[in-house]
């Protein structure tokens, strides 16, 4: 039976049962605890410094739309002193990304934040539509994932920001923990629960919604009437993640704390030094200057495959070396512009 | 005597679920009374949300029923609100519908 009054203010009528705590709370208390928990996540992890330029990775979907709204709210309420930007990547998927970018453009107006859109076409010379029409629907998510990661960094570099925040939520992170266990990817398992990742030559990336449940994000968007876009990508979703997600949702239905419990398990894993040592050292891509664990970064390798019409053969590093021995890449081949990291924080150029 | 009675409801779909329902977010629904259960025909089966979910699947859903319904209820990951209140506070599927109720179904499963 529903309680008569909110578990926090003991006066208003409850409208939501919190999955994390089981508490029944009213609308105003919900907004307050949701925002305060994100603020606590940010301050406990020391995510920002006054004056930081921060890009919000914005897809127009629920998580990034709520993130933009909450970041703006907290920045004003607690005086973080951040300069906020919206950064969107246009993969070139007709009927999907073009519609969601319209949402981001409205968010730009609604939240009064500068927006930068960087397209695969501009950066790589290929849209996802063209990639799929060339290689089919088998590996297209690999291309899209590799290209998006690098595009976000390059967009951030163009905006000269110090930091990228993304809308990854607790459900996403729990899902990734499960996937890394099921794939035996111990190195990633050790990293995937980190709230902030930063290599020596990468832009800081963090996840202020690390402990925010998807249910609460969606409820927040609903009660605040935020404008977001929700359609599945038209090029078959990541099937493996889909199974992990369905499994996680079943667990959550049986016991709502499952999501936070899985994140805690992921955090508690200690990866042995010997295992860490097997990870390849980071270097710089000899062609485009982006960080890479091989001579060529993944995006350059994939792009070369597309350009040479051999996208299936070129997916592994070994296959590419074999190909190079047979026939070196042509000079006219499209490559990615050279990557320059923005100035180090606090250093004036 | 009230067997022909209908309940007038407002049903909304969001978060991508509207794509399964004729791409329309908002629907006016005249929900008929559920059939009486055979063992005790005199006892009326209440029109609850579980009944509404099945009725929507049979009458309003246009495609991919498995994205809406699973094991007799909404698929995990779909949020339900009764008059703007989380259905978990209202007895979930066993909430007995009232004339004029607004029921909202929101999928959380789409990318963010």
């Amino acid at each position: 039976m529903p309680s008569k009054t909110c578990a926090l203010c003991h006066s208003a009528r409850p409208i939501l049962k919190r999955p994390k705590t089981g508490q029944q709370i009213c609308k105003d208390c919900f907004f307050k605890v949701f925002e305060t928990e994100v603020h606590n996540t940010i301050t406990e992890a020391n995510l920002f410094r006054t004056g930081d330029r921060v890009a919000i990775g914005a897809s127009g979907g629920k998580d990034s739309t709520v993130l933009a709204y909450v970041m703006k709210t907290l920045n004003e309420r607690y005086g973080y002193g951040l300069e906020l930007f919206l950064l969107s990547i246009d993969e070139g998927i007709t009927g999907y990304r073009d519609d969601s970018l319209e949402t981001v453009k409205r968010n730009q107006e609604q939240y009064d934040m500068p927006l930068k859109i960087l397209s695969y076409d501009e950066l790589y010379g290929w849209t996802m539509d063209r990639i799929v029409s060339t290689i089919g629907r088998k590996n297209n998510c690999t291309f899209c994932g590799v290209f998006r990661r690098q595009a976000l960094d390059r967009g951030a570099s163009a905006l000269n920001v110090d930091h990228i925040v993304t809308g990854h939520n607790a459900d996403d992170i729990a899902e990734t923990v499960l996937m890394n266990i099921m794939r035996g990817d111990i190195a990633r398992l050790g990293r995937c629960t980190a709230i902030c990742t930063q290599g020596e030559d990468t832009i800081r990336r963090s996840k202020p919604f690390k402990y925010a449940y998807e249910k609460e994000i969606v409820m927040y968007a609903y009660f605040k009437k935020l404008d977001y876009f929700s359609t599945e990508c038209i090029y078959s979703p990541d099937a493996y993640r889909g199974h992990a997600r369905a499994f996680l949702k079943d667990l959550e239905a049986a016991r709502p704390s499952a999501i936070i419990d899985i994140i805690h398990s992921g955090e508690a894993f200690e990866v042995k030094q010997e295992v860490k040592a097997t990870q390849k050292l980071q270097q710089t891509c000899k062609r485009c200057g982006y960080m890479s664990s091989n001579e060529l970064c993944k995006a350059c390798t994939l792009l070369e495959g597309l350009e040479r019409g051999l996208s299936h053969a070129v997916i592994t590093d070994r296959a590419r070396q074999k190909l190079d021995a047979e026939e070196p890449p042509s000079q006219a081949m499209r490559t990615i512009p050279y990557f320059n990291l923005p100035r180090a924080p606090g250093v004036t150029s | 005597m009230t067997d022909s009675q209908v309940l007038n409801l407002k049903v909304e779909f969001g978060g991508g679920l509207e794509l399964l329902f004729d791409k329309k977010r908002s629907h006016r629904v005249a929900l008929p009374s559920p059939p009486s259960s055979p063992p005790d025909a005199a006892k009326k089966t209440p029109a609850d949300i579980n009944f509404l979910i099945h009725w929507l699947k049979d009458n309003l859903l246009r495609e991919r029923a498995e994205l809406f319904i699973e094991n007799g209820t909404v698929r995990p990951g779909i949020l339900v609100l009764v008059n703007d209140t989380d259905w978990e506070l209202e007895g979930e599927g066993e909430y007995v519908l009232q004339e004029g109720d607004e029921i909202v179904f929101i999928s959380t499963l789409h990318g963010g």
Side-chain angles (χ1 to χ4, degrees):
Chain A
M1 279 305 288
S3 305
K4 292 268 185 315
T5 59
C6 168
L8 297 174
C9 68
H10 307 291
S11 61
R13 189 177 62 85
I15 49 100
L16 172 87
K17 184 172 172 188
R18 296 202 75 191
K20 229 185 264 185
T21 61
Q23 284 171 316
Q24 306 190 0
I25 57 175
C26 72
K27 201 192 280 185
D28 287 343
C29 287
F30 169 53
F31 291 152
K32 206 160 124 195
V33 287
F34 182 84
E35 290 156 4
T36 305
E37 284 182 5
V38 177
H39 171 66
N40 291 343
T41 305
I42 288 170
T43 49
E44 276 160 28
N46 275 321
L47 287 188
F48 308 118
R49 267 168 296 201
T50 307
D52 273 358
R53 294 164 60 90
V54 178
I56 299 161
S59 66
K62 58 183 173 15
D63 300 304
S64 59
T65 300
V66 174
L67 181 63
Y69 181 88
V70 170
M71 284 299 297
K72 182 181 167 64
T73 304
L74 297 179
N75 191 34
E76 289 167 4
R77 181 179 302 160
Y78 296 102
Y80 291 165
L82 306 178
E83 241 185 293
L84 298 172
F85 301 84
L86 295 169
L87 171 59
S88 292
I89 304 305
D90 180 1
E91 296 95 343
I93 304 176
T94 311
Y96 169 65
R97 190 53 88 211
D98 45 355
D99 290 345
S100 68
L101 284 174
E102 288 308 311
T103 312
V104 180
K105 286 178 194 162
R106 286 197 300 277
N107 292 160
Q108 173 191 13
E109 307 270 315
Q110 291 153 351
Y111 305 155
D112 189 28
M113 282 181 206
L115 164 68
K116 158 96 186 154
I117 300 176
L118 179 60
S119 72
Y120 283 9
D121 196 18
E122 183 184 344
L123 186 55
Y124 306 110
W126 287 74
T127 62
M128 276 311 290
D129 284 343
R130 193 168 142 230
I131 292 174
V132 171
S133 72
T134 307
I135 66 159
R137 293 192 178 203
K138 187 99 198 296
N139 287 315
N140 62 75
C141 294
T142 304
F143 282 79
C144 199
V146 169
F147 282 178
R148 185 175 323 98
R149 180 165 184 85
Q150 188 164 150
L152 264 177
D153 274 335
R154 286 167 177 272
S157 162
L159 283 170
N160 202 14
V161 299
D162 310 293
H163 205 139
I164 304 171
V165 291
T166 57
H168 292 100
N169 60 41
D171 297 54
D172 295 330
I173 294 169
E175 224 170 82
T176 307
V177 170
L178 289 176
M179 286 168 70
N180 285 332
I181 291 173
M182 294 189 289
R183 285 194 291 230
D185 194 335
I186 305 306
R188 278 207 181 77
L189 178 62
R191 291 195 299 261
C192 72
T193 53
I195 184 164
C196 181
T197 50
Q198 178 173 41
E200 273 170 31
D201 48 0
T202 57
I203 297 170
R204 266 164 86 86
R205 269 185 199 229
S206 51
K207 306 170 185 136
F209 282 172
K210 180 185 172 186
Y211 297 114
Y213 269 58
E214 191 157 63
K215 173 180 172 181
E216 294 198 352
I217 291 171
V218 173
M219 286 292 199
Y220 188 91
Y222 176 79
F223 286 119
K224 288 272 185 188
K225 299 188 168 44
L226 300 185
D227 180 10
Y228 72 89
F229 176 83
S230 46
T231 305
E232 205 72 69
C233 174
I234 54 172
Y235 298 129
S236 77
D238 183 343
Y240 202 77
R241 182 170 284 278
H243 291 305
R245 155 154 294 220
F247 175 59
L248 186 70
K249 286 286 151 194
D250 286 341
L251 290 180
E252 185 191 13
R255 196 179 63 192
S257 69
I259 288 170
I260 220 82
D261 296 342
I262 290 171
I263 297 178
H264 286 154
S265 302
E267 288 170 336
F269 272 107
E270 280 199 41
V271 179
K272 279 190 191 166
Q273 279 306 321
E274 301 99 271
V275 177
K276 279 188 187 155
T278 62
Q279 293 173 43
K280 285 192 183 172
L281 280 174
Q282 287 286 312
Q283 47 183 308
T284 303
C285 171
K286 69 170 187 184
R287 191 172 291 162
C288 79
Y290 190 72
M291 70 224 156
S292 172
S293 45
N294 293 301
E295 262 194 357
L296 282 191
C297 72
K298 278 205 182 103
C300 278
T301 310
L302 292 175
L303 182 59
E304 183 175 331
L306 288 170
E307 290 286 324
R308 295 169 78 161
L310 293 153
S311 44
H312 304 289
V314 192
I315 282 175
T316 66
D317 206 45
R318 190 180 294 166
R320 186 184 59 79
Q321 282 164 3
K322 185 162 167 258
L323 203 73
D324 276 357
E326 287 160 12
E327 182 199 355
S330 123
Q331 292 296 314
M333 190 180 76
R334 166 87 192 211
T335 55
I336 311 171
Y338 206 80
F339 179 65
N340 290 303
L341 200 73
R343 53 153 178 77
V347 177
T348 44
S349 50
Chain B
M1 87 206 135
T2 52
D3 272 3
S4 59
Q5 205 181 335
V6 298
L7 281 173
N8 294 294
L9 310 171
K10 191 177 160 197
V11 176
E12 275 192 26
F13 300 100
L17 267 185
E18 65 278 13
L19 300 174
L20 310 181
F21 291 87
D22 214 13
K23 301 184 171 53
K24 264 175 60 186
R25 296 182 74 94
S26 190
H27 298 253
R28 295 268 166 203
V29 165
L31 186 72
S33 296
S36 307
S37 35
D40 187 2
K43 205 176 163 197
K44 277 187 67 185
T45 317
D48 57 14
I49 297 192
N50 283 332
F51 173 66
L52 174 68
I53 291 168
H54 284 91
W55 188 89
L56 289 172
K57 176 190 152 240
D58 293 336
N59 294 277
L60 223 51
L61 185 105
R62 295 297 169 92
E63 52 184 295
R64 294 179 290 170
E66 73 280 5
L67 296 184
F68 179 60
I69 195 162
E70 192 181 297
N71 298 326
T73 183
V74 286
R75 188 174 174 220
I78 294 177
L79 305 180
V80 187
L81 293 112
V82 180
N83 300 322
D84 267 0
T85 297
D86 187 356
W87 77 332
E88 290 183 43
L89 303 184
E90 301 284 354
E92 303 194 15
E94 280 150 36
Y95 170 82
V96 177
L97 292 156
Q98 315 286 324
E99 174 71 17
D101 275 351
E102 285 188 31
I103 311 295
V104 179
F105 297 91
I106 310 174
S107 173
T108 64
L109 296 176
H110 290 282

